[in-house]
Amino acid sequence: MAATLQFSGVNCDRIVGLSFALAAGEIRVLRAGTKEEKFAVIELAIGERIAEAGTVALNGAPLDAAPHGSLGWVPDNGGLISNLKTWENVTLPLWYHGKRRAADTEGRIAEWLARLGLEGEAAERFMASPSGLLTKLERKRAGLLRGLVLAPQVLVVDAALFDGVAQDIKAAWAAALDALVRGAEGGSVLVVAEGSAALPWTNIE
Amino acid sequence: MFSREKTPPPAAQPDAPRVMGERLWGGQLRVAWEAFCRLPALGKWPVRQVLLKQLYFTGIESAATIGLVGFLVGLIVITELNNLVGGNEAVTNKVMIWVVVRELAPLIAAIVMVGRSSSAFASELSTMVINGEVKSLRCMGISPLSYLIMPRVLGMMLAGIALAFYCQIVAVGTGWVVTALRHNILLRDEVFSFFETISYHEIAATVLKSAIFGALVAIVSAYHGLRSKTAMTEVPQAVSQAVIRSLLAVFMADGVITVLMY
């Protein structure tokens, strides 16, 4: 299976010689020792930080050359824009990067919301709510939904997303990520964790 | 693969007032240039949405204030003018063009924009920086300059032109009506005399002034909003800096444009 995301001897700040490859259709967990290291890996993987040495490549090409919207990011707290409603937050990267037409988006969002355990009126209320009024759990859900709807080639997930979340919800979210990598678009997911929190996916050694 | 060594903090740089001044103006010029370079991002729907929201907030929602101020300015200027020159419609129209059309209307529009939009924009941006929302945008591959700054600069430029035009219409219209009522002059004659007196050069200059004022208010506010770093206490500081410096920039630009164009 061809590598989608590849770190080769990456040095940056606290990271020394980090190398791994993530293939299409895979979900794997990269464990960092500290929060700072975790953020450094996440920022390197989404192109927010430049490696001091080594390379980070997507499909063999540098991240700069990656098509817009091919990298997604799910932070631990949703990373929402407070003056936008939930649906505007969810569709922002999708429409900004021109990945999908408005007509397709609604059905896709409803589908992912159902997988995340939200349907009908509750889903409508959630999507219409200003993001400033969402609870911590709802913010996390909105951030995850945004990543799922974008369906990037590589979705980088902060494992702290699952902190403080009930087991059944956690299982539904993990199943949604599994569904994303099994889907027609064949993306992959890199979960970056701090410490040894239990996660249902194999670690990157 | 993960090292435990801490990187040393960068050495402190001397902050001489001259260096800070250069950085301030340089920073604002850079924001202006970067915003201009991102005009093609208007092709993206979320960016157009921000532009439309800014036009609504700065343009439509300020219309009532501008209308009232325009009416009062027209009334004050024409009352003083009538007392000075009586019912001389030619002189009245000339002075209305010099004072209201060329100077006061673009300035009033800019001052209302500073009061409403500059403070709102600076506080919004500052809060977004502090809450990590600007970083969130970058992490999603969205340029904050394309999404947050450029549409607001453009929106304030367009709103500035529209508000100044609206202020001119209300103020000059008030002047015509008051003169017609007090000196028994035909309104039609005043209107004809006005359009015979005003030149295309004057119209172009006021449009240019209004656009520049709008851009200046937006750029100065964006610059001060983006300078915030971590503490919420920086928000009121950013707002007051944005308001004061926007006003200064508007008056300085007015002086320069007036000297150059007239």
Coordinates of all heavy atoms in Angstrom, one line a residue, chain A residues 68 95-96, chain B residues 32-48 51 143 145-147 150-151 154:
Chain A
H68 N -5.3 21.9 -1.9 CA -6.1 22.5 -0.8 C -7.1 21.5 -0.3 O -7.8 20.9 -1.1 CB -6.7 23.8 -1.2 CG -5.7 24.9 -1.5 ND1 -4.8 25.3 -0.7 CD2 -5.5 25.5 -2.7 CE1 -4.0 26.2 -1.3 NE2 -4.5 26.4 -2.5
W95 N -16.0 24.5 1.9 CA -16.3 25.5 0.9 C -15.2 26.4 0.6 O -15.0 26.9 -0.5 CB -17.6 26.3 1.3 CG -18.8 25.4 1.3 CD1 -18.9 24.2 0.8 CD2 -20.1 25.8 1.8 NE1 -20.2 23.7 0.9 CE2 -20.9 24.7 1.5 CE3 -20.7 26.9 2.4 CZ2 -22.3 24.6 1.8 CZ3 -22.0 26.9 2.7 CH2 -22.8 25.8 2.4
Y96 N -14.3 26.7 1.6 CA -13.2 27.6 1.3 C -12.2 26.9 0.3 O -11.7 27.5 -0.6 CB -12.4 27.9 2.6 CG -11.3 28.9 2.5 CD1 -11.5 30.2 2.6 CD2 -10.0 28.4 2.2 CE1 -10.5 31.1 2.4 CE2 -9.0 29.3 2.0 CZ -9.2 30.7 2.1 OH -8.2 31.5 2.0
Chain B
A32 N -1.8 46.0 4.5 CA -2.5 46.6 3.4 C -2.1 45.8 2.1 O -2.9 45.4 1.3 CB -2.2 48.0 3.2
W33 N -0.7 45.6 1.9 CA -0.2 44.9 0.7 C -0.7 43.5 0.7 O -1.1 43.0 -0.3 CB 1.3 45.0 0.7 CG 1.9 44.3 -0.4 CD1 2.7 43.2 -0.3 CD2 1.8 44.5 -1.8 NE1 3.1 42.7 -1.5 CE2 2.5 43.5 -2.5 CE3 1.1 45.4 -2.6 CZ2 2.6 43.4 -3.9 CZ3 1.2 45.3 -3.9 CH2 1.9 44.4 -4.6
E34 N -0.6 42.8 1.9 CA -1.0 41.4 1.9 C -2.5 41.2 1.6 O -2.9 40.3 0.9 CB -0.7 40.8 3.3 CG 0.8 40.8 3.7 CD 1.5 39.5 3.2 OE1 0.8 38.6 2.8 OE2 2.7 39.5 3.2
A35 N -3.3 42.2 2.1 CA -4.7 42.1 1.9 C -5.0 42.3 0.4 O -5.8 41.6 -0.2 CB -5.5 43.2 2.7
F36 N -4.3 43.3 -0.3 CA -4.5 43.6 -1.7 C -4.1 42.3 -2.5 O -4.8 42.0 -3.5 CB -3.6 44.8 -2.1 CG -3.6 45.1 -3.5 CD1 -4.7 45.7 -4.1 CD2 -2.5 44.8 -4.3 CE1 -4.7 46.0 -5.5 CE2 -2.5 45.0 -5.7 CZ -3.6 45.6 -6.3
C37 N -3.0 41.7 -2.1 CA -2.6 40.5 -2.9 C -3.6 39.3 -2.8 O -3.5 38.4 -3.6 CB -1.2 40.0 -2.4 SG 0.1 41.1 -2.7
R38 N -4.4 39.4 -1.8 CA -5.4 38.3 -1.6 C -6.8 38.5 -2.2 O -7.7 37.8 -1.9 CB -5.5 37.9 -0.1 CG -4.3 37.1 0.3 CD -4.1 37.0 1.8 NE -3.0 36.1 2.1 CZ -1.7 36.4 2.0 NH1 -1.3 37.5 1.6 NH2 -0.8 35.5 2.4
L39 N -6.9 39.5 -3.1 CA -8.2 39.8 -3.7 C -8.8 38.6 -4.5 O -10.0 38.4 -4.5 CB -8.0 41.0 -4.6 CG -8.2 42.4 -4.0 CD1 -7.9 43.5 -4.9 CD2 -9.6 42.6 -3.4
P40 N -7.9 37.8 -5.1 CA -8.5 36.6 -5.8 C -9.3 35.7 -4.9 O -10.2 34.9 -5.4 CB -7.3 35.9 -6.4 CG -6.3 37.0 -6.6 CD -6.5 37.9 -5.4
A41 N -9.0 35.7 -3.6 CA -9.8 34.9 -2.7 C -11.3 35.2 -2.6 O -12.1 34.4 -2.1 CB -9.2 35.0 -1.3
L42 N -11.7 36.3 -3.3 CA -13.1 36.7 -3.3 C -13.9 35.6 -4.1 O -15.1 35.6 -4.0 CB -13.3 38.0 -3.9 CG -13.1 39.2 -3.0 CD1 -13.1 40.5 -3.8 CD2 -14.2 39.2 -1.9
G43 N -13.2 34.8 -4.9 CA -13.9 33.8 -5.6 C -14.4 32.7 -4.7 O -15.2 31.9 -5.1
K44 N -14.0 32.6 -3.4 CA -14.4 31.6 -2.5 C -15.7 32.1 -1.7 O -15.7 33.2 -1.2 CB -13.3 31.3 -1.5 CG -12.1 30.7 -2.1 CD -10.9 30.7 -1.1 CE -9.6 30.5 -1.7 NZ -9.4 29.1 -2.2
W45 N -16.7 31.2 -1.6 CA -17.9 31.6 -1.0 C -17.8 32.1 0.4 O -18.3 33.2 0.8 CB -18.9 30.5 -1.2 CG -20.1 30.6 -0.3 CD1 -20.5 29.8 0.7 CD2 -21.1 31.7 -0.3 NE1 -21.7 30.3 1.3 CE2 -22.0 31.5 0.7 CE3 -21.2 32.9 -1.0 CZ2 -23.1 32.3 1.0 CZ3 -22.3 33.8 -0.7 CH2 -23.2 33.4 0.3
P46 N -17.0 31.4 1.3 CA -17.0 31.9 2.7 C -16.4 33.4 2.8 O -16.7 34.1 3.6 CB -16.1 30.9 3.4 CG -16.2 29.7 2.6 CD -16.3 30.1 1.2
V47 N -15.5 33.7 1.8 CA -14.8 35.0 1.8 C -15.9 36.1 1.4 O -16.0 37.1 2.0 CB -13.6 35.0 0.9 CG1 -12.9 36.4 0.9 CG2 -12.6 34.0 1.4
R48 N -16.7 35.7 0.4 CA -17.7 36.6 -0.1 C -18.7 36.8 1.0 O -19.3 37.9 1.2 CB -18.4 36.1 -1.3 CG -17.5 36.2 -2.6 CD -18.4 36.2 -3.8 NE -19.2 34.9 -3.9 CZ -18.7 33.8 -4.5 NH1 -17.4 33.8 -4.9 NH2 -19.5 32.7 -4.6
L51 N -17.4 39.4 3.3 CA -17.6 40.7 2.7 C -19.0 41.2 2.8 O -19.2 42.4 3.2 CB -17.2 40.6 1.2 CG -17.5 41.8 0.3 CD1 -16.6 43.0 0.8 CD2 -17.2 41.5 -1.1
S143 N -6.2 31.0 5.0 CA -5.3 32.2 5.3 C -6.2 33.2 6.1 O -7.2 33.7 5.5 CB -4.8 32.8 4.0 OG -4.5 34.1 4.2
L145 N -5.5 36.2 6.4 CA -5.5 37.5 5.7 C -6.6 37.4 4.5 O -7.2 38.4 4.3 CB -4.2 37.7 5.1 CG -3.2 38.4 6.0 CD1 -1.7 38.1 5.6 CD2 -3.4 39.9 6.1
S146 N -6.7 36.2 3.9 CA -7.7 36.1 2.9 C -9.1 36.1 3.4 O -10.1 36.6 2.9 CB -7.5 34.8 2.1 OG -6.3 34.8 1.5
Y147 N -9.3 35.4 4.6 CA -10.6 35.2 5.1 C -11.1 36.3 6.0 O -12.3 36.7 6.0 CB -10.7 33.8 5.8 CG -12.0 33.5 6.5 CD1 -13.1 33.2 5.7 CD2 -12.2 33.5 7.8 CE1 -14.3 32.9 6.2 CE2 -13.4 33.2 8.4 CZ -14.5 32.9 7.6 OH -15.7 32.7 8.2
M150 N -8.9 40.8 4.2 CA -9.2 41.3 2.9 C -10.6 41.7 2.7 O -11.0 42.8 2.3 CB -8.6 40.4 1.8 CG -8.8 40.8 0.4 SD -10.4 40.4 -0.3 CE -10.2 38.6 -0.5
P151 N -11.6 40.7 3.0 CA -13.0 41.1 2.8 C -13.5 42.3 3.6 O -14.3 43.0 3.2 CB -13.8 39.8 3.1 CG -12.8 39.0 3.9 CD -11.5 39.3 3.5
L154 N -12.0 45.5 2.0 CA -12.8 45.8 0.8 C -14.2 46.3 1.2 O -14.7 47.3 0.7 CB -12.9 44.6 -0.1 CG -13.5 44.8 -1.4 CD1 -12.8 45.8 -2.3 CD2 -13.6 43.4 -2.2

